[in-house]
Amino acid sequence: MAIPRAPHEREVFLREIGHWFDPPYWRDQSYLSLSPWSLDELEAAFRSLMVVYSPESTRAIVAGPVGWLFRAISESGALVPASCRLLALGLDLSAAWPCIDEHVIAGLRKESQVSGARFEVTVGASLLRAGLRCRRDEARRDRPRPDYVIDLDGDVRVEAKRPRRSQAVEFTYRLLGEFPARHRDLVHPPATIGAGIRLTEKCRELLRSRADREALYARLPALAAAAAQAVRAQRFGPVEDLLYVEPSPHEGISFPIESTPEVGRTISSLSEKARQLQGRPGIVALEVHEGAVGETVVAVREWLA
């Protein structure tokens, strides 16, 4: 019952069967030869993923809106290990499993919550890999509680926060995600073309309407392909009045992302959480950019003096 290779057939298969892990492609010698991780590490990662993304939950995800989850699951077997977003999550999941509960698993299964849940898993994995004694806070659910508690000469609360994104920032990240899988020549060596791609005002305006936003996401692969073609031809200017391609002094593709408002809202949220926790000692793990496998940046700051 191997998953089909053609994208449309693969989508139908996943919607009906849900076996994204069949056959276990990570055991193939050609896959292992490209992997910086051992077979034991890969087995642990995919075992964790199969618990979270069971056939039943996979069918529900594929039947829903196209987003990070849909693409990560449907493309997982077609990518080299270091470019596989699902594997990156699985490696963190297996490391953080002692701290994973039903709340985190539920978030990982929802497109609207998976972004924050993924970062929460990454923070837990980082704490445990560093040799810290880490656990979930056992406080009652009806009270504010941090994501983790670590033992550093007493309990220290840890809150994992990822800036909430505007529709324009979210769309830019989704557009960026099209390039490693479909236009690798523009983002991996020996990419020598330098170009920036940004959203036009028309695109930003359309993203404010739910109906127009859904239509834009449906066109995302075709829009990314048109932008890639313009970059390769060095045709600078508007692309379908939705994107603008401009020259860049740096090799590869860049996507300007305005993160200041999102970070501001996150700091405000942290201040409120600190007030609710009444000054108990704690730290904040704040994701300041979305990186590749093992490249998440964590900034640590005190909550209160």
Side-chain angles (χ1 to χ4, degrees):
M1 190 166 41
I3 185 170
R5 292 182 177 273
H8 175 69
E9 293 178 356
R10 185 163 60 237
E11 180 181 340
V12 172
F13 177 89
L14 290 172
R15 184 180 288 113
E16 295 178 353
I17 308 298
H19 285 238
W20 58 268
F21 44 81
D22 187 19
Y25 52 84
W26 57 92
R27 296 173 186 165
D28 188 272
Q29 191 57 47
S30 61
Y31 192 90
L32 286 169
S33 67
L34 297 172
S35 173
W37 302 283
S38 68
L39 178 59
D40 287 343
E41 290 173 309
L42 293 174
E43 291 283 8
F46 283 103
R47 275 198 305 271
S48 300
L49 288 168
M50 283 186 276
V51 172
V52 177
Y53 302 116
S54 62
E56 181 181 4
S57 61
T58 298
R59 289 194 296 268
I61 289 167
V62 176
V66 174
W68 188 92
L69 278 174
F70 176 92
R71 297 192 185 284
I73 289 174
S74 63
E75 297 175 354
S76 59
L79 302 178
V80 297
S83 298
C84 181
R85 294 172 287 183
L86 195 66
L87 173 56
L89 172 59
L91 291 165
D92 283 342
L93 261 177
S94 62
W97 198 256
C99 293
I100 300 300
D101 60 13
E102 296 82 358
H103 175 74
V104 176
I105 291 176
L108 289 172
R109 290 172 173 168
K110 296 178 181 178
E111 189 64 52
S112 60
Q113 299 178 24
V114 67
S115 180
R118 283 165 48 213
F119 183 59
E120 191 172 327
V121 169
T122 297
V123 171
S126 300
L127 295 171
L128 288 168
R129 286 173 180 142
L132 297 170
R133 291 190 294 275
C134 175
R135 67 181 191 276
R136 302 293 291 185
D137 194 306
E138 299 300 326
R140 285 166 44 192
R141 286 285 184 184
D142 59 349
R143 294 178 181 173
R145 67 175 193 169
D147 295 315
Y148 301 105
V149 177
I150 56 176
D151 184 2
L152 292 176
D153 295 326
D155 285 351
V156 176
R157 277 77 179 169
V158 178
E159 181 74 6
K161 276 292 181 182
R162 194 169 187 273
R164 296 177 182 176
R165 296 171 176 171
S166 66
Q167 292 295 341
V169 170
E170 185 63 37
F171 188 79
T172 302
Y173 271 115
R174 298 278 186 87
L175 181 67
L176 172 62
E178 290 288 316
F179 279 76
R182 304 177 190 277
H183 309 287
R184 293 177 56 81
D185 60 305
L186 297 178
V187 293
H188 292 288
T192 56
I193 298 174
I197 302 175
R198 57 180 171 84
L199 309 187
T200 64
E201 286 304 317
K202 177 182 177 180
C203 183
R204 292 171 179 274
E205 184 65 31
L206 290 173
L207 286 169
R208 297 187 180 100
S209 161
R210 181 173 181 176
D212 291 335
R213 185 164 62 246
E214 290 178 353
L216 278 176
Y217 277 107
R219 294 178 57 192
L220 193 59
L223 194 58
Q229 186 176 3
V231 170
R232 293 188 185 99
Q234 295 287 275
R235 258 193 339 266
F236 300 118
V239 176
E240 300 185 20
D241 289 331
L242 298 172
L243 303 177
Y244 195 90
V245 176
E246 52 196 1
S248 169
H250 307 291
E251 293 182 354
I253 305 296
S254 61
F255 294 80
I257 296 175
E258 309 86 345
S259 60
T260 303
E262 285 70 39
V263 172
R265 283 193 289 270
T266 300
I267 298 300
S268 175
S269 172
L270 289 173
S271 299
E272 175 62 17
K273 189 66 168 284
R275 185 190 65 77
Q276 292 172 338
L277 292 175
Q278 300 175 345
R280 288 179 287 177
I283 59 176
V284 172
L286 177 65
E287 185 183 51
V288 296
H289 80 79
E290 185 173 37
V293 179
E295 201 177 295
T296 302
V297 176
V298 176
V300 177
R301 64 171 65 200
E302 291 183 1
W303 270 348
L304 296 172

